Amino acid sequence: MRSNANIAGPMTDPVPGPRTESIGEDVSRETPPPMDDTPIGRAAQLAVEALGRAGEGLPRPEQTRVMVVANQKGGVGKTTTTVNLAASLALHGARVLVVDLDPQGNASTALGIDHHADVPSIYDVLIDSRPLSEVVQPVPDVEGLFCAPATIDLAGAEIELVSLVARESRLERAIQAYEQPLDYILIDCPPSLGLLTVNALVAGAEVLIPIQCEYYALEGLGQLLRNVDLVRAHLNPDLHVTTILLTMYDGRTRLASQVADEVRNHFGDEVLRTSIPRSVRISEAPSYGQTVLTYDPGSSGALSYLEAAREIALKGVGVSYDAPHAHIGAQSEQSLVEGIQ
């Protein structure tokens, strides 16, 4: 049997205590302590519990929930949130599609999807009207999870879309024509408010905004919400901000708590109770072509995303999109920033 010593770092000696050995054929040792008394054992136990809870399953939505993960501010954990929530929902038993609309293709990389220049991608869907079913790939290691990858060609799509007919609704039409049954579609947007993001906002019904618990976290958020209002008024009356997720939370700092409190005060029930901690494991996972759910299932990051996915799924049962949502204009945005100074 292979040793587990290299799974989570060097093996440490169990709880101190006497240990007897005799040399020869009759080697006797005291019974070793339970596995969960060692760091490796505790990590393994957490992993089993986490995946066990994921496998319990959650209520499936009556119709496909299309969620747009957007924030034009970079570095807020947008792509990380998209892929890990998608993997969490899939582990809960849902069928989930990730649409990678970011030319950098980071969501495709994190899901282990090949997205070099010659791979059929979401660019072909938007520009050449290629059926979505021809570019969707199954994600390795996570049953029920699929990805429509992005390639570098997407970098020029903003310009190419300008001259096309129905340029704002091309993604919506592609999704409506997709015949495979899905419970969730998560769209990872680029960190801008151009035509790619507008296509996502027209295609979706829900907007999920990741907000990092750092200084000036809410800077520019007012413009995003104004754009959501514009799209709802002119192109997609079903669009609403339904979910705010706090990311990069460090409970050791007063600033993180202040940001979290301010966000909860302004957005109320739209803010998930679960926040995503700062985690080395979350950062490492994409370099191995994995989500944190498969890279380190017992880590705090994996457990947090599983809980966030559970909240989203339960919150969506009987959810009414006609409910008024919190607005944040330029003036209130400034007051939010001042509130955490």
Side-chain angles (χ1 to χ4, degrees):
M1 182 174 176
R2 189 177 60 180
S3 169
N4 290 330
N6 294 323
I7 293 178
M11 181 71 80
T12 56
D13 199 34
V15 179
R19 183 166 59 184
T20 61
E21 295 185 6
S22 62
I23 301 175
E25 290 186 6
D26 299 325
V27 178
S28 63
R29 299 175 187 264
E30 287 188 359
T31 304
M35 185 60 154
D36 58 5
D37 280 349
T38 68
I40 296 171
R42 286 192 293 272
Q45 189 174 31
L46 282 173
V48 169
E49 290 174 0
L51 291 176
R53 286 195 311 179
E56 290 173 9
L58 288 170
R60 286 183 151 175
E62 293 182 3
Q63 58 186 17
T64 304
R65 293 177 65 183
V66 184
M67 307 186 74
V68 181
V69 184
N71 191 334
Q72 80 272 25
K73 185 176 173 60
V76 300
K78 191 164 58 268
T79 297
T80 301
T81 291
T82 303
V83 298
N84 285 300
L85 280 180
S88 298
L89 289 166
L91 287 171
H92 278 302
R95 288 177 60 85
V96 188
L97 171 64
V98 172
V99 176
D100 190 353
L101 272 191
D102 191 339
Q104 297 177 84
N106 290 336
S108 306
T109 299
L111 293 173
I113 298 295
D114 188 12
H115 59 103
H116 61 76
D118 296 328
V119 171
S121 70
I122 200 67
Y123 169 87
D124 303 301
V125 173
L126 294 174
I127 304 302
D128 299 328
S129 300
R130 188 165 185 165
L132 188 58
S133 58
E134 293 184 9
V135 307
V136 168
Q137 300 182 41
V139 173
D141 304 326
V142 183
E143 186 179 354
L145 182 57
F146 305 88
C147 177
T151 61
I152 193 62
D153 292 336
L154 204 56
E158 293 274 4
I159 298 172
E160 295 179 68
L161 280 168
V162 170
S163 60
L164 298 181
V165 176
R167 61 190 182 187
E168 299 95 351
S169 58
R170 295 180 76 84
L171 180 60
E172 178 194 26
R173 292 184 178 187
I175 288 175
Q176 287 178 346
Y178 188 72
E179 296 180 348
Q180 296 298 321
L182 292 169
D183 297 306
Y184 297 88
I185 298 175
L186 273 65
I187 307 175
D188 184 34
C189 295
S192 67
L193 295 176
L195 274 172
L196 290 175
T197 299
V198 170
N199 261 270
L201 294 174
V202 172
E206 303 181 54
V207 180
L208 187 158
I209 305 176
I211 298 178
Q212 84 279 33
C213 297
E214 294 182 349
Y215 193 66
Y216 284 142
L218 302 154
E219 191 177 40
L221 194 56
Q223 185 58 53
L224 170 62
L225 294 179
R226 282 190 291 271
N227 278 36
V228 170
D229 287 340
L230 284 171
V231 170
R232 182 170 63 252
H234 299 286
L235 297 167
N236 180 8
D238 295 327
L239 184 69
H240 287 86
V241 176
T242 60
T243 309
I244 307 288
L245 178 63
L246 295 167
T247 64
M248 304 180 191
Y249 182 82
D250 187 346
R252 298 170 298 179
T253 66
R254 190 175 69 173
L255 176 62
S257 298
Q258 286 179 317
V259 172
D261 290 343
E262 290 292 329
V263 171
R264 292 186 193 281
N265 287 338
H266 279 77
F267 288 98
D269 292 340
E270 293 172 1
V271 186
L272 296 183
R273 292 189 301 274
T274 305
S275 57
I276 308 302
R278 278 198 173 278
S279 167
V280 174
R281 295 302 194 197
I282 292 176
S283 303
E284 287 176 346
S287 64
Y288 293 89
Q290 296 184 53
T291 66
V292 73
L293 277 302
T294 55
Y295 179 67
D296 190 352
S299 65
S300 60
L303 297 172
S304 297
Y305 274 116
L306 283 169
E307 284 302 316
R310 177 179 293 274
E311 273 193 74
I312 288 171
L314 293 175
K315 190 178 177 184
V317 178
V319 67
S320 172
Y321 297 124
D322 295 328
H325 72 284
H327 287 270
I328 169 175
Q331 186 172 1
S332 59
E333 174 192 328
Q334 182 61 31
S335 68
L336 270 169
V337 173
E338 290 173 352
I340 58 175
Q341 288 183 0

